[in-house]
Amino acid sequence: MVITEEMAERYSRHFVLKEIGVSGQKKLLQAKVLVIGAGGLGSAALMYLAAAGTGVVGIADFDKVSLSNLQRQVIHGSGDVGVDKTLSAEKFISRLNPDVRVILHNAKMTVDNIQSVISGYDFILDCTDSFESKFLINDACVLSKKPYSHAGIVCFEGQIMTYVPGKGPCLRCLLGGVPPRDGSITCSSAGVLGAAAGVMGSLQAIEAVKYILGIGDLLVGRILRFDALKMQFSEFDFPKSDSGCAVCGANPKIRSLADNRAEYEGTGCM
Amino acid sequence: MVKVNGVQLNIDGKTIAEYIKTIQYDIRRIAVERNGNIVPKSEYDNVVLKEGDSLEVVGFVGGG
Ligand SMILES: [Zn+2]
């Protein structure tokens, strides 16, 4: 991998970091990271991954940009309303950094396609907006032995953790399964502060970069919660996975995604 | 006394389910760890908290 003069200037603030340097930048330029969901979390994550010179950035989304997205989904602009989110995000990234190759997955991730999509990537970001999708991604990553960053955000609060195969609990260890729907909170009534989603998405991009570079301490075996109103971060230690976990445990009930199709096929957004 | 997220509380003798009912957490969207081990949801009704236990309780949200 040749570092051009333009790259040397673009990434000069990375080069001076001893944890990154030229060799770390080369790793980033050869890394493949998939972002599932180009919404509130995904916007920030995609922008920072692209700016950092992640060699291949995959974007998986099946939605189109709407005006009500723009309050938080800052990778899209007013002129993109009605356009596929994947295309709109790609347009932003290509303007930001031509070193990044963008791969579009303009489809809903399902039991039938997700494992083949994630197989081409080194690290995955769950930036989706439903527990059904979050469990689909979790189980796919566990079964395919892929590391990924989980995050969620509603109103002013969010949480983030990182799964690395064999190193700590997965989302299913922690929650058991998709929580039943709460009738009082619906897609349209649940608000979210845009910048709070941006904080969580930025944290996910940091985890991806650290994983690629092998630096620092990942959020494996611990959950970081952010409360934007109190302006507090709290950390919760969950160092051990659950040996009875239905997907990563000693005797897993879910041996293929198809075994568990119904749980992933809810329709709401919470 | 039982330590919950680092704070000592007088909830000895309560089950995990009974304790969770006293706080604002939605029991379906939390993860609980007791003395370093994740407590499966099916055990919340059975596990009785004892003097010296240490709990971590964290809520999850699903938006994005
Ligand atoms: Zn697990």
Side-chain angles (χ1 to χ4, degrees):
Chain A
M1 152 127 268
V2 179
I3 298 288
T4 63
E5 233 172 88
E6 193 183 313
M7 286 173 170
E9 187 168 349
R10 178 183 291 270
Y11 305 116
S12 57
R13 297 302 192 278
H14 278 170
F15 289 2
V16 297
L17 292 170
K18 70 177 186 335
E19 293 82 357
I20 302 183
V22 177
S23 65
Q25 189 62 50
K26 286 182 178 174
K27 282 187 200 167
L28 282 171
L29 287 163
Q30 291 171 85
K32 299 173 183 164
V33 177
L34 173 66
V35 175
I36 305 179
L41 296 169
S43 287
L46 284 165
M47 291 158 91
Y48 280 112
L49 288 171
T54 306
V56 174
V57 171
I59 311 170
D61 206 308
F62 60 97
D63 211 355
K64 290 186 174 9
V65 178
S66 68
L67 195 53
S68 67
N69 295 152
L70 302 182
Q71 157 266 11
R72 63 197 179 283
Q73 302 184 14
V74 291
I75 201 166
H76 312 298
S78 300
D80 301 318
V81 170
V83 174
D84 288 341
K85 286 187 179 177
T86 50
L87 288 172
S88 166
E90 179 191 37
K91 189 177 73 180
F92 184 100
I93 291 173
S94 62
R95 264 193 333 158
L96 174 60
N97 190 349
D99 298 340
V100 177
R101 187 158 75 87
V102 180
I103 298 180
L104 305 184
H105 304 280
N106 201 21
K108 183 169 171 57
M109 292 297 102
T110 68
V111 164
D112 304 306
N113 65 12
I114 187 167
Q115 281 179 288
S116 86
V117 171
I118 66 176
S119 68
Y121 293 92
D122 304 315
F123 193 87
I124 293 116
L125 270 58
D126 169 10
C127 298
T128 64
D129 65 355
S130 78
F131 277 116
E132 284 82 359
S133 300
K134 291 181 187 306
F135 273 88
L136 175 68
I137 293 166
N138 180 76
D139 295 355
C141 287
V142 170
L143 292 171
S144 298
K145 299 188 166 57
K146 290 285 182 184
Y148 88 97
S149 162
H150 157 91
I153 179 84
V154 167
C155 304
F156 296 90
E157 288 177 64
Q159 80 282 332
I160 171 172
M161 70 163 219
T162 299
Y163 169 77
V164 175
K167 296 264 168 76
C170 76
L171 185 64
R172 193 175 286 282
C173 289
L174 297 162
L175 287 181
V178 173
R181 294 199 168 274
D182 184 342
S184 67
I185 306 175
T186 65
C187 304
S188 47
S189 72
V192 58
L193 180 69
V199 167
M200 303 311 290
S202 299
L203 292 174
Q204 289 185 283
I206 294 172
E207 289 291 272
V209 167
K210 282 161 52 192
Y211 177 85
I212 299 297
L213 298 180
I215 60 172
D217 300 315
L218 294 168
L219 282 167
V220 173
R222 55 203 178 104
I223 299 151
L224 189 66
R225 268 194 74 83
F226 174 53
D227 182 330
L229 279 183
K230 292 182 182 157
M231 202 47 99
Q232 282 179 337
F233 283 94
S234 327
E235 189 183 321
F236 301 84
D237 285 327
F238 283 74
K240 280 197 271 181
S241 51
D242 174 13
S243 60
C245 174
V247 71
C248 82
N251 191 11
K253 283 197 282 291
I254 303 167
R255 291 174 184 276
S256 80
L257 295 176
D259 290 351
N260 197 42
R261 189 180 289 270
E263 193 186 12
Y264 312 120
E265 290 184 350
T267 49
C269 80
M270 290 298 296
Chain B
M1 299 291 267
V2 174
K3 196 159 80 174
V4 180
N5 297 339
V7 178
Q8 297 284 350
L9 298 175
N10 190 8
I11 53 172
D12 310 26
K14 281 188 164 60
T15 65
I16 288 177
E18 285 166 349
Y19 165 63
I20 298 299
K21 281 190 196 109
T22 68
I23 55 177
Q24 325 95 309
Y25 282 111
D26 180 341
I27 203 156
R28 302 162 304 178
R29 292 154 193 255
I30 57 168
V32 176
E33 181 197 64
R34 175 170 162 266
N35 303 333
N37 294 302
I38 291 168
V39 183
K41 292 234 167 353
S42 57
E43 294 295 308
Y44 286 6
D45 281 321
N46 305 328
V47 176
V48 178
L49 297 168
K50 293 195 305 283
E51 165 70 31
D53 276 353
S54 180
L55 284 191
E56 294 275 294
V57 181
V58 59
F60 280 73
V61 293

